[in-house]
Amino acid sequence: MERAPRISFHSLGCPKALVDSERIITRLRAEGYELARKHDGADIVIVNTCGFLDSAKQESLGAIGEAMAENGKVIVTGCMGAEPEQIEAAYPGVLSISGPQQYESVLEAVHRALPPVHNPHLDLVPPQGVKLTPRHYAYLKISEGCNNRCSFCIIPKLRGDLVSRPANDVLREAERLVKAGVKELLVISQDTSAYGVDVKYAESPWKDRQVRAKFFDLARELGELGAWVRLQYVYPYPHVDEVIGLMTEGKVLPYLDIPFQHASPEVLKAMKRPAAQEKTLARIKKWRQECPDLTLRSTFIVGFPGETDSDFAYLLDWLEEAEIDRLGCFKYEPVAGAASNAIPNAVPDEVKQERWNALMARQQKISARRLKRKVGTRQQVIVDEVGPTVAKGRSKADAPQIDGAVYLSSRRPLKVGEIVTAKIERSDQYDLHGSVAGF
């Protein structure tokens, strides 16, 4: 019998790119291709690139170079492929270059270089598709592209304008995942709360009813599937307020990932950020009154062109008042093709580094203070890793790979993907420590 063709896959960038990789792999597995763990044992390598920042482009080029050196037959896709000149200049020998979500182009390139061998006994794919995340959680991508035109970002150029999936299509995928054992759905897109704007919130049939392609309606339906539902990349449009009610009812996790990016009105204006920011502190206060368990995660950029000392001081004061639980911070990097490159008064690198250090030090204190309040409480924890004496998991306040962890001791063996009740005994800057209190 002829050996199945083998493909090695390298996926870079954000969870949205990971979902693209999962789709490509699922299609290839359905056609009888096998996945290889190493480039040098594979017939071909696919590299899914990230092109958001210059540093990400360098990492992508490095990954392509490695694949070329170890294998020589390389297909490139993803965000960096939307502007292929740099890849072509560095590696003229790559077999094919395509942009994000261009699954058909990737499959065509694979078929050209490595025709499939059909075997009816082997060409079976699990009903939920092939996932690159652990079995117990999955990213659920509800739309592609973005209608915002933030001055520092070229994602609309790479991924196009917002294209929302029909609500029943998303719900079908979510239901399939939950039936396959997924305990946590991470809802993602470039702008999750803008979901459905492009299709005027069109209804689609689901079970015995019609469901609108609207952020609130989708979140409510996902909350009925019996899994944790975590909302990520949410811009603070007014209708986000409605979703807080679903959190207090326990339908979706009391967790919002809102990329505020800054707090100073001048910097936000220069960034061309959507959604009114001036009432944000009042809204956060109201959200927390309604849902005291709410965890807020955000990302910020320091050193944006024109950011003054007083803008930065404003941001630190704002953080103190908003009490953001989880925070990612980036030093501003100019991106080829971004409008912000033309903004005068660039901030020197050493000032960017000082501001980054100051912001992270402030955030460490805020995070430690917020976590200390949880000592003595009971928290539900999803188990991600099991060790000989301590298991590592996440509470409802922690998204995988970006937030903190809960370290657990247990008198009984724990299983990955299990959700347990833990008594929290101590905390540090970013993590909690406790013991399993019950099943």
Side-chain angles (χ1 to χ4, degrees):
M1 196 178 84
E2 206 178 333
R3 176 177 76 77
R6 306 185 69 192
I7 292 173
S8 172
F9 210 104
H10 191 148
S11 188
L12 297 120
C14 62
K16 292 172 277 295
L18 193 70
V19 172
D20 292 344
S21 297
E22 288 174 347
R23 286 194 183 151
I24 293 165
I25 288 171
T26 295
R27 295 277 296 273
L28 289 168
R29 289 282 286 135
E31 292 177 359
Y33 292 90
E34 280 182 9
L35 285 185
R37 289 198 175 275
K38 291 192 177 130
H39 292 343
D40 60 2
D43 298 304
I44 214 163
V45 180
I46 299 173
V47 180
N48 190 359
T49 58
C50 176
F52 184 45
L53 297 171
D54 287 349
S55 51
K57 286 182 183 174
Q58 288 313 313
E59 193 185 348
S60 293
L61 286 170
I64 296 166
E66 259 172 56
M68 288 294 282
E70 290 174 32
N71 185 290
K73 284 187 169 178
V74 180
I75 290 168
V76 177
T77 187
C79 280
M80 199 173 169
E83 295 173 326
E85 302 75 23
Q86 215 176 339
I87 300 167
E88 286 164 353
Y91 303 107
V94 297
L95 299 175
S96 142
I97 303 173
S98 55
Q101 298 126 47
Q102 292 178 358
Y103 315 123
E104 301 306 327
S105 304
V106 178
L107 291 162
E108 278 166 27
V110 172
H111 294 160
R112 274 198 309 273
L114 192 62
V117 175
H118 183 69
N119 182 327
H121 304 296
L122 294 177
D123 301 356
L124 298 173
V125 162
Q128 78 275 20
V130 176
K131 288 172 64 265
L132 299 176
T133 43
R135 261 192 68 163
H136 59 286
Y137 67 82
Y139 292 104
L140 187 65
K141 192 181 341 182
I142 62 174
S143 63
E144 294 290 358
C146 186
N147 287 345
N148 301 318
R149 294 296 181 264
C150 303
S151 61
F152 55 84
C153 181
I154 55 166
I155 280 174
K157 220 188 248 181
L158 300 175
R159 289 186 167 253
D161 281 341
L162 181 76
V163 179
S164 300
R165 294 172 63 189
N168 60 2
D169 189 32
V170 176
L171 290 165
R172 260 196 306 271
E173 183 184 348
E175 188 178 58
R176 239 185 0 254
L177 288 164
V178 173
K179 278 182 178 161
V182 166
K183 303 276 184 69
E184 178 181 13
L185 297 165
L186 299 117
V187 180
I188 59 166
S189 68
Q190 292 316 137
D191 180 355
T192 303
S193 40
Y195 172 66
V197 169
D198 56 313
V199 292
K200 301 189 169 55
Y201 309 122
E203 291 186 334
S204 54
W206 171 247
K207 307 274 165 111
D208 57 349
R209 55 197 176 277
Q210 295 287 322
V211 178
R212 289 187 305 171
K214 203 162 191 205
F215 179 58
F216 174 81
D217 302 51
L218 185 71
R220 185 181 57 207
E221 294 292 341
L222 289 170
E224 298 298 327
L225 296 176
W228 283 12
V229 176
R230 192 179 296 280
L231 303 170
Q232 296 192 269
Y233 313 113
V234 178
Y235 286 79
Y237 302 122
H239 64 257
V240 172
D241 296 358
E242 301 169 26
V243 177
I244 304 297
L246 296 176
M247 296 178 181
T248 54
E249 289 167 32
K251 299 286 185 199
V252 302
L253 294 186
Y255 179 100
L256 271 181
D257 175 352
I258 301 182
F260 289 116
Q261 307 299 18
H262 214 281
S264 154
E266 281 71 29
V267 176
L268 288 168
K269 209 160 122 193
M271 287 178 168
K272 291 200 164 67
R273 294 293 289 156
Q277 299 274 351
E278 61 277 4
K279 302 190 188 92
T280 305
L281 283 174
R283 287 176 73 200
I284 289 173
K285 203 172 179 178
K286 189 166 169 288
W287 294 342
R288 286 218 164 108
Q289 277 165 354
E290 274 180 54
C291 182
D293 291 338
L294 179 67
T295 295
L296 283 178
R297 146 163 267 284
S298 192
T299 46
F300 293 86
I301 296 172
V302 294
F304 192 78
E307 181 191 55
T308 62
D309 287 342
S310 64
D311 289 327
F312 181 66
Y314 185 102
L315 171 57
L316 289 183
D317 291 347
W318 187 93
L319 269 186
E320 199 67 55
E321 204 170 330
E323 286 202 300
I324 299 292
D325 299 82
R326 304 291 192 193
L327 182 148
C329 181
F330 300 92
K331 289 170 282 197
Y332 172 78
E333 262 188 53
V335 177
S340 57
N341 298 346
I343 299 173
N345 302 323
V347 175
D349 284 347
E350 60 273 18
V351 176
K352 283 183 200 171
Q353 186 63 49
E354 279 165 21
R355 288 178 183 170
W356 187 88
N357 292 345
L359 187 128
M360 292 313 282
R362 177 70 60 97
Q363 178 55 29
Q364 210 172 48
K365 289 194 178 105
I366 296 168
S367 173
R369 195 166 69 222
R370 298 279 302 164
L371 288 174
K372 206 167 188 175
R373 295 176 192 174
K374 294 184 178 178
V375 174
T377 66
R378 286 176 182 243
Q379 301 284 334
Q380 277 193 298
V381 175
I382 191 164
V383 178
D384 286 336
E385 292 170 33
V386 175
T389 52
V390 175
K392 184 181 176 188
R394 290 173 294 107
S395 73
K396 292 179 176 180
D398 309 302
Q401 297 176 338
I402 52 173
D403 292 333
V406 184
Y407 292 92
L408 293 172
S409 61
S410 172
R411 285 200 297 277
R412 65 177 177 84
L414 298 177
K415 291 196 291 287
V416 168
E418 188 179 356
I419 295 175
V420 297
T421 301
K423 187 169 186 295
I424 304 303
E425 285 144 4
R426 64 186 179 87
S427 65
D428 52 36
Q429 274 100 341
Y430 299 117
D431 302 317
L432 295 171
H433 302 260
S435 55
V436 174
F439 290 80

